[in-house]
Structure formats: C-alpha cells, structure tokens
C-alpha cells in the first residue's frame, strides 16, 4: 500500500537519494545496517516468476564494515541483506521504500582502482530452497495422499529448511494431495514445493519483500485500485512505450485432459466462454447448452456456467468481447497425468481461460523511478495507447540518474 508521504516525495522536482543496507542473519533478524556505501546496481521484480526479486549491487569496500566474506564476516553462507531506498522530503523527513530481502552470491572484489569496491549478485530467497545456496534433499521424502496441501507446505518448510511458522503465509487452501508424492535424495525442496502447489492450478508462491513465504490464490485484479496514472500531465512520469499485440493468444474454449483412472474413468473438464447477455433471465433462452458452457451477464458483471441442469454462478469472470458467439471458438488443450480428479481439472481450466482471455496486449516503458510500483499493481495509461494495465516486471536502479524500466499487460473488462 502506498503511503501519502511516499506519493508526495516522488513528486518533488529534486531527489536526495540514499541506499540503506540491512545485514540479516540466518534467523532472518536484522543485526546491523549501513548507509552511503552503495554506488550502483539494479533490483529486478518479476511478477510472473516464483523468483520474485533479484539484482546486483556494488558497494564501496571498507575493512571497518567487516564485509569481506569469511566465517566471522557479516557476509557469509545463509546471511542475507535487505535493501531500502531512502528519500528526503522538504521537511528533512526520511521516506523509506522497501526493495526486499535477498540472498548473496557471486561476490567480486575490485582492488585495482583508487576506490576499492565489492560487487555481488542479489538472489531471491528461493536460492535457499532450489539447491543454489541450500535446499538439496539428503534423503528420500514422502508425503502421503490425502495430506492437506497447506499442512504439506508447512511441514516441508519448517522441517527441512527451518523456516519459522510465523514466516509462512498460506491463503484459504482447502485442498488435499490427490496422490502420494515421493522425491528422491538429490532433488530439491523447491521441486517438492512446486509439485505440491501446482497440483491445483491458480495458486502462486513466492517470497515477499519482508522475507515471508507466500502461497495465495491468483485472483482477478480488475477491481483493484489504480496505483498510478500516466496521462502526460507530469513530464517526469511520461512513458516511453513500445506496445505489442498478439491476437493468437486469445482462447475462449479450454479443454483439460487428466489421468485415465484404473477403472477406465477419464478425468477431464471443459470451459467455453460462449455468450454474453444483458440480463440473467435471458439465460433460459439459450439453446444447445453443454456442461461447462459460460454466459456472462452484463448488468450483473457476473459469469454463469451451465452444469447440466441449471446455471451456476462462477467465482471468476470471463471477458465478454472474446466469447465464442462473437469471434468463433478458439480452442486450447492441456493434458497432464498428474490431474487426478475433476476439481484439479476445473481449476486448471479456470486458470488457463483467465490467462488466455486477452490479446497479450503488452507495453514496455521507462520513466523516472516510482519506487512503490510493483508487479501486479494496476496503472492507467491515457496517451497514444489507453486503458488499465497490470505491471508484470520492474527494474529499479539504485542510482539517481537511471530510469526505471517496466513491462505491463492490458486488462480487459
């Protein structure tokens, strides 16, 4: 959430910028902080990846800070850092922007110049789970069929990598494992978690800027507030854009084929975005209805599915302009033997229909850094191109001179 102070300080015609570095121990507790030693670098935020944040940073090297990697140093295995951007407002107040917590890797020392520097790669906390800086399974791990998914996630994180239970945030996930999961020694905790969570499509997992492990339902962002408006009224925030449109991305009929069970039952599901009507009463006039067919009711802004006997209100919405009646059927098929039941198939269908109900209308843009912009924030663009967009990725410079580069995709209502 953007504070008023953050909003105001970014509108000042000049900026006085400083970088604060928190040194964090293996228990994720801040043990020290430094300011004024970072000289350059970038923070990359990617909303389409489980590796949300990465980057690089160069700092002035000084022995008094004890940063040269060694067992007694503040930078060593399992140590982490937090990065804050600090801006000073007109009243000499410091306004903080949290850029996140990072693992450290690939440290390079440059002692050839007059100003000695140290550069390092900043890696997402997933590096502690994927084998990069830890997380390789030393023995076979088995999680039994029927285990609640949320319980399986917590047991893996607290039992195998010692993440505090308070640092694990899981949404309302009333789901169980449809089969027993086995991982051999040498595979990673990341692979195990990925298989558990992706059994049911539509869920996302990542570490947030505070270092918490988050598992949440991917939701429709159309009703979210607009975080920033780019309409050309503020010169410094004018976008330099490169729009792209991909018609072949649009699919309105999704077929999911899962496992064929031992008794011959074929697990499957199909959602078709077929119609749009003004009023719910008009649904009764639709003919040739099939199980999984969807009609969007415009006056309600709700979508209903025919379940074989009645119209059922869905907890997600389709995009009316892309329905079968308007543009013809654009089918897409997904097959996976790890889909063991109809609920998995439905969730995969919903997820793919949401992802493919657009023309992949995307923009790449640069502007003066707005440090509160993050992936999944909604912005409005009103220039040569118009509409609401969701931020996909952001590259934040750690110096005062560089622009911020971002990508975003259009929201269809």
């Amino acid at each position: 959430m953007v504070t008023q102070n953050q909003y105001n300080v970014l509108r000042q015609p000049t900026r006085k910028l400083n970088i604060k570095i928190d040194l964090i121990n293996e228990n994720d507790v801040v043990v020290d902080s430094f300011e004024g030693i970072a000289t350059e670098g970038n923070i990359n935020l990617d909303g389409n990846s489980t590796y949300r944040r990465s980057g690089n940073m160069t700092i002035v090297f000084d022995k008094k800070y004890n940063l040269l990697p060694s067992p007694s140093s503040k930078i060593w295995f399992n140590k982490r850092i937090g990065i804050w951007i600090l801006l000073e407002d007109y009243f000499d107040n410091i306004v903080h922007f949290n850029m996140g917590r990072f693992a450290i890797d690939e440290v390079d020392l440059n002692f050839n110049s007059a100003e000695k520097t140290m550069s390092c790669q900043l890696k997402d906390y997933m590096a502690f789970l994927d084998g990069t800086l830890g997380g390789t399974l030393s023995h076979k791990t088995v999680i039994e069929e029927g285990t609640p998914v949320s319980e399986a996630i917590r047991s893996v994180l607290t039992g195998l990598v010692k993440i505090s239970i308070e640092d694990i945030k899981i949404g309302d996930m009333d789901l169980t494992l449809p089969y027993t999961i086995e991982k051999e020694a040498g595979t990673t905790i990341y692979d195990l978690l990925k298989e558990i969570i992706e059994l049911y499509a539509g869920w996302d997992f990542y570490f947030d800027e505070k270092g918490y492990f988050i598992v949440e339902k991917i939701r429709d962002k159309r009703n979210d507030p607009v975080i920033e408006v780019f309409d050309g009224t503020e010169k410094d925030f004018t976008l330099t854009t490169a729009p792209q449109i991909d018609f072949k991305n649009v699919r309105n009929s999704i077929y999911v084929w899962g496992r064929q069970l031992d008794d011959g039952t074929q697990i499957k599901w199909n959602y078709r975005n077929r119609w749009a009507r003004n009023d719910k009463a008009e649904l009764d006039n639709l003919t040739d209805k099939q199980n999984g067919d969807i009609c969007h009711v415009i006056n309600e802004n709700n979508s209903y599915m025919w379940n074989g006997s009645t119209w059922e209100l869905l907890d997600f919405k389709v995009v009316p302009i892309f329905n079968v009646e308007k543009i013809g059927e654009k089918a897409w098929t997904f097959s996976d033997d790890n889909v063991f039941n109809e609920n998995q198939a439905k969730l995969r269908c919903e997820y793919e229909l949401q992802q493919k109900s657009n023309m992949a209308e995307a923009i790449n843009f640069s502007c003066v850094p707005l440090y509160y912009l993050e992936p999944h924030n909604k912005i409005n663009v009103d220039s040569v191109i118009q509409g609401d967009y969701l931020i996909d990725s952001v590259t934040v410079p750690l110096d005062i001179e560089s622009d911020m580069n971002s990508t975003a995709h259009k929201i269809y209502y």
Side-chain angles (χ1 to χ4, degrees):
M1 182 65 68
V2 181
T3 68
Q4 190 63 50
N5 285 342
Q6 288 177 326
Y7 184 87
N8 291 341
V9 76
L10 289 174
R11 264 89 188 147
Q12 295 178 179
T14 59
R15 296 182 180 183
K16 185 176 180 180
L17 179 144
N18 203 356
I19 305 298
K20 175 186 172 186
I21 302 171
D22 286 336
L23 298 177
I24 303 169
N25 66 17
E26 59 273 13
N27 295 317
D28 227 35
V29 175
V30 176
V31 294
D32 209 343
S33 297
F34 300 113
E35 294 181 27
I37 62 173
T39 60
E40 61 181 355
N42 291 292
I43 304 295
N44 306 309
L45 308 177
D46 187 351
N48 295 321
S49 173
T50 53
Y51 295 75
R52 275 297 193 274
R53 55 197 72 241
S54 62
N56 59 82
M57 181 177 62
T58 299
I59 62 176
V60 176
F61 183 80
D62 193 319
K63 289 183 179 179
K64 70 181 180 182
Y65 296 132
N66 190 24
L67 300 179
L68 184 65
S70 72
S72 61
S73 167
K74 295 187 173 75
I75 294 181
W76 194 236
F77 293 101
N78 293 328
K79 300 290 180 68
R80 306 105 191 266
I81 64 172
I83 296 180
W84 297 79
I85 289 179
L86 312 182
L87 293 180
E88 187 175 308
D89 68 13
Y90 287 132
F91 307 101
D92 297 327
N93 299 312
I94 302 300
V95 181
H96 295 71
F97 297 88
N98 187 1
M99 294 292 101
R101 295 187 170 197
F102 301 87
I104 307 168
D105 196 16
E106 300 177 39
V107 177
D108 293 320
L109 303 173
N110 181 9
F111 290 172
N112 295 325
S113 59
E115 184 178 67
K116 296 178 174 59
T117 61
M118 183 172 77
S119 300
C120 61
Q121 295 297 311
L122 307 175
K123 298 200 171 181
D124 191 275
Y125 269 20
M126 285 293 178
F128 295 121
L129 307 182
D130 68 2
T132 303
L133 298 173
T136 301
L137 294 174
S138 60
H139 56 278
K140 183 176 181 178
T141 301
V142 179
I143 305 179
E144 297 294 338
E145 175 184 350
T147 303
V149 171
S150 57
E151 179 184 314
I153 295 168
R154 289 190 177 94
S155 67
V156 168
L157 290 172
T158 58
L160 296 177
V161 286
K162 309 300 186 220
I163 292 179
S164 169
I165 195 72
E166 291 81 11
D167 292 344
I168 304 169
K169 312 295 181 184
I170 302 177
D172 187 11
M173 202 178 201
D174 186 21
L175 302 166
T176 59
L177 298 187
Y179 60 88
T180 297
I181 295 179
E182 299 183 4
K183 291 293 182 186
E184 299 295 332
T187 56
T188 67
I189 292 170
Y190 176 84
D191 292 332
L192 176 57
L193 289 169
K194 192 171 189 291
E195 182 170 347
I196 292 171
I197 296 169
E198 292 186 352
L199 284 170
Y200 296 93
W203 289 84
D204 200 5
F205 68 102
Y206 59 93
F207 283 97
D208 72 1
E209 73 279 2
K210 298 177 182 178
Y212 295 154
F213 187 87
I214 306 294
V215 182
E216 63 182 8
K217 189 82 166 67
I218 299 173
R219 60 182 183 82
D220 187 345
K221 306 291 197 308
R222 287 181 285 184
N223 293 324
D224 283 11
V226 171
I227 299 298
E228 189 63 57
V229 176
F230 295 92
D231 59 5
T233 59
E234 295 186 73
K235 180 178 180 298
D236 288 340
F237 298 158
T238 300
L239 299 182
T240 301
T241 60
Q244 299 172 332
I245 298 175
D246 186 359
F247 287 103
K248 70 179 180 293
N249 190 69
V250 176
R251 307 288 176 160
N252 52 24
S253 181
I254 307 296
Y255 291 83
V256 171
W257 298 89
R259 177 177 289 260
Q260 186 171 30
L261 304 182
D262 293 339
D263 63 4
T265 302
Q266 175 66 58
I267 301 300
K268 61 182 179 179
W269 193 259
N270 168 229
Y271 274 140
R272 289 197 297 174
N273 175 11
R274 285 195 68 180
W275 306 284
R277 295 293 184 268
N278 287 322
D279 299 300
K280 186 180 178 183
E282 297 180 67
L283 300 183
D284 296 332
N285 300 325
L286 296 172
T287 59
D288 188 31
K289 300 184 292 290
Q290 300 178 34
N291 198 29
D293 283 353
I294 298 171
C295 182
H296 186 77
V297 177
I298 296 169
N299 288 342
E300 292 184 16
N301 191 27
N302 283 319
S303 298
Y304 289 84
M305 178 199 71
W306 179 251
N307 64 13
S309 58
T310 187
W311 288 99
E312 176 184 324
L313 177 64
L314 294 173
D315 61 0
F316 66 94
K317 298 176 177 63
V318 298
V319 181
I321 63 173
F322 296 134
N323 67 44
V324 174
E325 189 176 56
K326 288 184 178 293
I327 67 171
E329 185 168 9
K330 310 295 182 184
W332 188 83
T333 301
F334 176 88
S335 299
D336 187 352
D337 278 347
N338 284 332
V339 177
F340 274 71
N341 56 51
E342 191 174 88
N343 189 29
Q344 282 181 278
K346 279 186 174 181
L347 288 172
R348 171 58 67 175
C349 249
E350 174 189 337
Y351 174 76
E352 298 297 346
L353 186 59
Q354 297 270 19
Q355 295 299 307
K356 293 174 170 57
S357 288
N358 62 76
M359 292 186 292
E361 191 170 343
I363 55 173
N364 301 298
F365 67 91
S366 60
C367 65
V368 170
L370 299 171
Y371 301 114
Y372 51 66
L373 274 191
E374 297 180 347
H376 304 313
N377 284 167
K378 184 161 75 172
I379 63 173
N380 179 265
V381 180
D382 187 9
S383 59
V384 177
I385 57 172
Q386 296 180 328
D388 289 343
Y389 287 77
L390 277 183
I391 299 289
D392 293 319
S393 66
V394 179
T395 297
V396 182
L398 296 180
D399 61 77
I400 197 65
E401 298 176 350
S402 302
D403 286 341
M404 181 179 77
N405 297 307
S406 304
T407 64
H409 69 272
K410 190 170 184 175
I411 304 173
Y412 295 86
Y413 294 94

